[in-house]
Amino acid sequence: MKLVHISDIHLNHGSIGGHDPIANFRKCLAYVEAYDSDADRVVITGDLSHHGLETSYRELATILAESTLAGKLEPRLMVGNHDNRETFISVFPETQRDDNGFVQWTEETEAGLFVYIDTVDQGRHSGLYCAPRLAWLADVLDGARARGQRVYLFMHHNPVRVHVANADVVGMLNEREFQALLKSYQDVIAHIFFGHCHYSLSGSVCGIAYSAPRSTNHVCWPEFSGIINRTGYGELTPNYNVCFLRDDSVVVHTIDFLDADKVQWSIETDPAQH
């Protein structure tokens, strides 16, 4: 199964960090349409809007309506800390929610069960996965285990500290409780996909592999000084991830879509020589 993972598009009528988030998101989708239209799913893991404004969500709805990505390729939209849950739902009323009103649901796919969870603590940049949400997820994972299903977990916030102070200070407030749940289901969860940090990440937490792409607009530079209010940004290339999911593996590629014009192609008579 082929998955396109996009995150942190931050739609806004005005530049952010000297970049145009609407233009960049349009370029990202255009590249997906041109080169990854054979994918099976497209998922955007939150921060759809920069300020949670209705105008930004309506802009997103317009862009998606103009896109050729439809049916199984219609992007699955998740919320992040920059989003306003109720405003988003007012523009996308078909959004699936759990019984407590959180934007989280499950989807059966060729690779296994996709589980989309809502880690937003409304009004704060840090994430929270409260007791009702933990109970919902545990129930979903119990069901998957009983059916012998592999689960792919999608979320906005990083589920583990990434050793960059300005990211970790706005990570999961109840990280220990969330990781305790992950540890209990490491036999069920095959991979975790998230965003939030704005740089490419990979690793594992509680024995479960994870990956994250950069933002499609303002990319951050990971640095390890420990200074909370120090953030690196600039003319850094945004990306999205293309992931291949199999029963025995997950392969993740980063696609620097704005650099596509720099690529030179050659046809090797002996590919082993490159």
Side-chain angles (χ1 to χ4, degrees), residues 204-223:
S204 66
V205 55
C206 300
I208 304 167
Y210 63 73
S211 60
R214 303 175 194 137
S215 167
T216 57
N217 188 64
H218 47 299
V219 176
C220 292
W221 187 263
E223 60 84 38

PDB file of all heavy atoms in Angstrom, residues 204-223:
ATOM      1  N   SER A 204      11.839   5.469  17.079  1.00  0.00           N
ATOM      2  CA  SER A 204      10.871   4.545  17.669  1.00  0.00           C
ATOM      3  C   SER A 204      10.556   5.001  19.089  1.00  0.00           C
ATOM      4  O   SER A 204      11.354   5.675  19.745  1.00  0.00           O
ATOM      5  CB  SER A 204      11.407   3.115  17.677  1.00  0.00           C
ATOM      6  OG  SER A 204      12.526   2.993  18.545  1.00  0.00           O
ATOM      7  N   VAL A 205       9.368   4.619  19.547  1.00  0.00           N
ATOM      8  CA  VAL A 205       8.951   4.887  20.909  1.00  0.00           C
ATOM      9  C   VAL A 205       8.205   3.651  21.400  1.00  0.00           C
ATOM     10  O   VAL A 205       7.337   3.120  20.717  1.00  0.00           O
ATOM     11  CB  VAL A 205       8.064   6.152  20.995  1.00  0.00           C
ATOM     12  CG1 VAL A 205       6.855   6.072  20.074  1.00  0.00           C
ATOM     13  CG2 VAL A 205       7.626   6.410  22.436  1.00  0.00           C
ATOM     14  N   CYS A 206       8.606   3.150  22.548  1.00  0.00           N
ATOM     15  CA  CYS A 206       8.003   1.943  23.126  1.00  0.00           C
ATOM     16  C   CYS A 206       8.034   0.781  22.141  1.00  0.00           C
ATOM     17  O   CYS A 206       7.093  -0.025  22.057  1.00  0.00           O
ATOM     18  CB  CYS A 206       6.556   2.222  23.558  1.00  0.00           C
ATOM     19  SG  CYS A 206       6.416   3.538  24.796  1.00  0.00           S
ATOM     20  N   GLY A 207       9.115   0.711  21.364  1.00  0.00           N
ATOM     21  CA  GLY A 207       9.273  -0.374  20.415  1.00  0.00           C
ATOM     22  C   GLY A 207       8.483  -0.209  19.125  1.00  0.00           C
ATOM     23  O   GLY A 207       8.436  -1.122  18.301  1.00  0.00           O
ATOM     24  N   ILE A 208       7.873   0.976  18.917  1.00  0.00           N
ATOM     25  CA  ILE A 208       7.063   1.236  17.723  1.00  0.00           C
ATOM     26  C   ILE A 208       7.757   2.302  16.886  1.00  0.00           C
ATOM     27  O   ILE A 208       8.092   3.379  17.389  1.00  0.00           O
ATOM     28  CB  ILE A 208       5.657   1.716  18.103  1.00  0.00           C
ATOM     29  CG1 ILE A 208       4.974   0.697  19.025  1.00  0.00           C
ATOM     30  CG2 ILE A 208       4.816   1.967  16.851  1.00  0.00           C
ATOM     31  CD1 ILE A 208       3.717   1.226  19.692  1.00  0.00           C
ATOM     32  N   ALA A 209       7.972   2.024  15.601  1.00  0.00           N
ATOM     33  CA  ALA A 209       8.628   2.989  14.708  1.00  0.00           C
ATOM     34  C   ALA A 209       7.701   4.156  14.414  1.00  0.00           C
ATOM     35  O   ALA A 209       6.472   4.011  14.392  1.00  0.00           O
ATOM     36  CB  ALA A 209       9.031   2.299  13.407  1.00  0.00           C
ATOM     37  N   TYR A 210       8.315   5.332  14.173  1.00  0.00           N
ATOM     38  CA  TYR A 210       7.525   6.513  13.802  1.00  0.00           C
ATOM     39  C   TYR A 210       8.235   7.298  12.720  1.00  0.00           C
ATOM     40  O   TYR A 210       9.445   7.139  12.488  1.00  0.00           O
ATOM     41  CB  TYR A 210       7.252   7.398  15.017  1.00  0.00           C
ATOM     42  CG  TYR A 210       8.467   8.006  15.677  1.00  0.00           C
ATOM     43  CD1 TYR A 210       9.180   9.053  15.085  1.00  0.00           C
ATOM     44  CD2 TYR A 210       8.908   7.559  16.923  1.00  0.00           C
ATOM     45  CE1 TYR A 210      10.282   9.627  15.702  1.00  0.00           C
ATOM     46  CE2 TYR A 210      10.012   8.119  17.554  1.00  0.00           C
ATOM     47  CZ  TYR A 210      10.689   9.155  16.938  1.00  0.00           C
ATOM     48  OH  TYR A 210      11.787   9.716  17.554  1.00  0.00           O
ATOM     49  N   SER A 211       7.479   8.181  12.059  1.00  0.00           N
ATOM     50  CA  SER A 211       8.042   9.098  11.067  1.00  0.00           C
ATOM     51  C   SER A 211       7.198  10.348  11.003  1.00  0.00           C
ATOM     52  O   SER A 211       6.005  10.333  11.333  1.00  0.00           O
ATOM     53  CB  SER A 211       8.117   8.437   9.681  1.00  0.00           C
ATOM     54  OG  SER A 211       6.832   8.055   9.228  1.00  0.00           O
ATOM     55  N   ALA A 212       7.832  11.450  10.587  1.00  0.00           N
ATOM     56  CA  ALA A 212       7.141  12.729  10.441  1.00  0.00           C
ATOM     57  C   ALA A 212       7.795  13.523   9.315  1.00  0.00           C
ATOM     58  O   ALA A 212       9.023  13.522   9.192  1.00  0.00           O
ATOM     59  CB  ALA A 212       7.202  13.528  11.743  1.00  0.00           C
ATOM     60  N   PRO A 213       6.998  14.202   8.495  1.00  0.00           N
ATOM     61  CA  PRO A 213       7.553  15.078   7.466  1.00  0.00           C
ATOM     62  C   PRO A 213       7.763  16.489   8.003  1.00  0.00           C
ATOM     63  O   PRO A 213       7.368  16.805   9.134  1.00  0.00           O
ATOM     64  CB  PRO A 213       6.455  15.077   6.394  1.00  0.00           C
ATOM     65  CG  PRO A 213       5.195  14.980   7.197  1.00  0.00           C
ATOM     66  CD  PRO A 213       5.536  14.132   8.413  1.00  0.00           C
ATOM     67  N   ARG A 214       8.367  17.330   7.180  1.00  0.00           N
ATOM     68  CA  ARG A 214       8.436  18.759   7.497  1.00  0.00           C
ATOM     69  C   ARG A 214       7.081  19.400   7.206  1.00  0.00           C
ATOM     70  O   ARG A 214       6.187  18.770   6.673  1.00  0.00           O
ATOM     71  CB  ARG A 214       9.506  19.439   6.639  1.00  0.00           C
ATOM     72  CG  ARG A 214      10.878  18.834   6.776  1.00  0.00           C
ATOM     73  CD  ARG A 214      11.867  19.482   5.804  1.00  0.00           C
ATOM     74  NE  ARG A 214      13.068  18.659   5.721  1.00  0.00           N
ATOM     75  CZ  ARG A 214      13.708  18.361   4.597  1.00  0.00           C
ATOM     76  NH1 ARG A 214      13.256  18.818   3.436  1.00  0.00           N
ATOM     77  NH2 ARG A 214      14.777  17.603   4.613  1.00  0.00           N
ATOM     78  N   SER A 215       6.965  20.658   7.531  1.00  0.00           N
ATOM     79  CA  SER A 215       5.816  21.454   7.088  1.00  0.00           C
ATOM     80  C   SER A 215       5.903  21.655   5.580  1.00  0.00           C
ATOM     81  O   SER A 215       6.995  21.623   5.002  1.00  0.00           O
ATOM     82  CB  SER A 215       5.840  22.811   7.792  1.00  0.00           C
ATOM     83  OG  SER A 215       4.950  23.726   7.191  1.00  0.00           O
ATOM     84  N   THR A 216       4.754  21.886   4.928  1.00  0.00           N
ATOM     85  CA  THR A 216       4.780  22.238   3.508  1.00  0.00           C
ATOM     86  C   THR A 216       5.076  23.715   3.316  1.00  0.00           C
ATOM     87  O   THR A 216       5.196  24.174   2.176  1.00  0.00           O
ATOM     88  CB  THR A 216       3.433  21.915   2.833  1.00  0.00           C
ATOM     89  OG1 THR A 216       2.377  22.610   3.507  1.00  0.00           O
ATOM     90  CG2 THR A 216       3.166  20.422   2.851  1.00  0.00           C
ATOM     91  N   ASN A 217       5.210  24.475   4.397  1.00  0.00           N
ATOM     92  CA  ASN A 217       5.479  25.909   4.264  1.00  0.00           C
ATOM     93  C   ASN A 217       6.753  26.327   4.993  1.00  0.00           C
ATOM     94  O   ASN A 217       7.794  26.470   4.392  1.00  0.00           O
ATOM     95  CB  ASN A 217       4.297  26.728   4.769  1.00  0.00           C
ATOM     96  CG  ASN A 217       4.466  28.203   4.472  1.00  0.00           C
ATOM     97  OD1 ASN A 217       4.509  28.600   3.309  1.00  0.00           O
ATOM     98  ND2 ASN A 217       4.583  29.033   5.494  1.00  0.00           N
ATOM     99  N   HIS A 218       6.686  26.542   6.293  1.00  0.00           N
ATOM    100  CA  HIS A 218       7.836  27.056   7.036  1.00  0.00           C
ATOM    101  C   HIS A 218       8.508  25.921   7.807  1.00  0.00           C
ATOM    102  O   HIS A 218       8.013  25.438   8.813  1.00  0.00           O
ATOM    103  CB  HIS A 218       7.453  28.207   7.954  1.00  0.00           C
ATOM    104  CG  HIS A 218       6.232  27.990   8.784  1.00  0.00           C
ATOM    105  ND1 HIS A 218       4.974  27.761   8.247  1.00  0.00           N
ATOM    106  CD2 HIS A 218       6.063  27.966  10.129  1.00  0.00           C
ATOM    107  CE1 HIS A 218       4.102  27.608   9.217  1.00  0.00           C
ATOM    108  NE2 HIS A 218       4.738  27.717  10.368  1.00  0.00           N
ATOM    109  N   VAL A 219       9.626  25.509   7.270  1.00  0.00           N
ATOM    110  CA  VAL A 219      10.390  24.396   7.833  1.00  0.00           C
ATOM    111  C   VAL A 219      11.237  24.893   9.002  1.00  0.00           C
ATOM    112  O   VAL A 219      11.789  25.997   8.956  1.00  0.00           O
ATOM    113  CB  VAL A 219      11.296  23.781   6.744  1.00  0.00           C
ATOM    114  CG1 VAL A 219      12.169  22.684   7.322  1.00  0.00           C
ATOM    115  CG2 VAL A 219      10.443  23.263   5.595  1.00  0.00           C
ATOM    116  N   CYS A 220      11.333  24.085  10.039  1.00  0.00           N
ATOM    117  CA  CYS A 220      12.201  24.427  11.174  1.00  0.00           C
ATOM    118  C   CYS A 220      13.511  23.642  11.089  1.00  0.00           C
ATOM    119  O   CYS A 220      13.590  22.580  10.481  1.00  0.00           O
ATOM    120  CB  CYS A 220      11.494  24.131  12.489  1.00  0.00           C
ATOM    121  SG  CYS A 220      10.092  25.218  12.818  1.00  0.00           S
ATOM    122  N   TRP A 221      14.521  24.184  11.731  1.00  0.00           N
ATOM    123  CA  TRP A 221      15.838  23.555  11.764  1.00  0.00           C
ATOM    124  C   TRP A 221      16.041  22.922  13.136  1.00  0.00           C
ATOM    125  O   TRP A 221      16.007  23.613  14.155  1.00  0.00           O
ATOM    126  CB  TRP A 221      16.925  24.592  11.502  1.00  0.00           C
ATOM    127  CG  TRP A 221      18.294  24.003  11.361  1.00  0.00           C
ATOM    128  CD1 TRP A 221      19.252  23.918  12.339  1.00  0.00           C
ATOM    129  CD2 TRP A 221      18.862  23.414  10.196  1.00  0.00           C
ATOM    130  NE1 TRP A 221      20.381  23.315  11.858  1.00  0.00           N
ATOM    131  CE2 TRP A 221      20.170  22.989  10.530  1.00  0.00           C
ATOM    132  CE3 TRP A 221      18.399  23.198   8.898  1.00  0.00           C
ATOM    133  CZ2 TRP A 221      21.016  22.366   9.626  1.00  0.00           C
ATOM    134  CZ3 TRP A 221      19.240  22.580   7.991  1.00  0.00           C
ATOM    135  CH2 TRP A 221      20.529  22.174   8.352  1.00  0.00           C
ATOM    136  N   PRO A 222      16.257  21.608  13.204  1.00  0.00           N
ATOM    137  CA  PRO A 222      16.454  20.980  14.511  1.00  0.00           C
ATOM    138  C   PRO A 222      17.804  21.370  15.114  1.00  0.00           C
ATOM    139  O   PRO A 222      18.831  21.263  14.457  1.00  0.00           O
ATOM    140  CB  PRO A 222      16.392  19.481  14.200  1.00  0.00           C
ATOM    141  CG  PRO A 222      16.778  19.369  12.757  1.00  0.00           C
ATOM    142  CD  PRO A 222      16.293  20.629  12.100  1.00  0.00           C
ATOM    143  N   GLU A 223      17.776  21.854  16.335  1.00  0.00           N
ATOM    144  CA  GLU A 223      19.021  22.191  17.020  1.00  0.00           C
ATOM    145  C   GLU A 223      18.878  21.791  18.481  1.00  0.00           C
ATOM    146  O   GLU A 223      17.782  21.688  19.000  1.00  0.00           O
ATOM    147  CB  GLU A 223      19.364  23.667  16.828  1.00  0.00           C
ATOM    148  CG  GLU A 223      18.327  24.650  17.357  1.00  0.00           C
ATOM    149  CD  GLU A 223      18.491  24.928  18.829  1.00  0.00           C
ATOM    150  OE1 GLU A 223      19.646  25.003  19.276  1.00  0.00           O
ATOM    151  OE2 GLU A 223      17.476  25.053  19.533  1.00  0.00           O
TER     152      GLU A 223
END
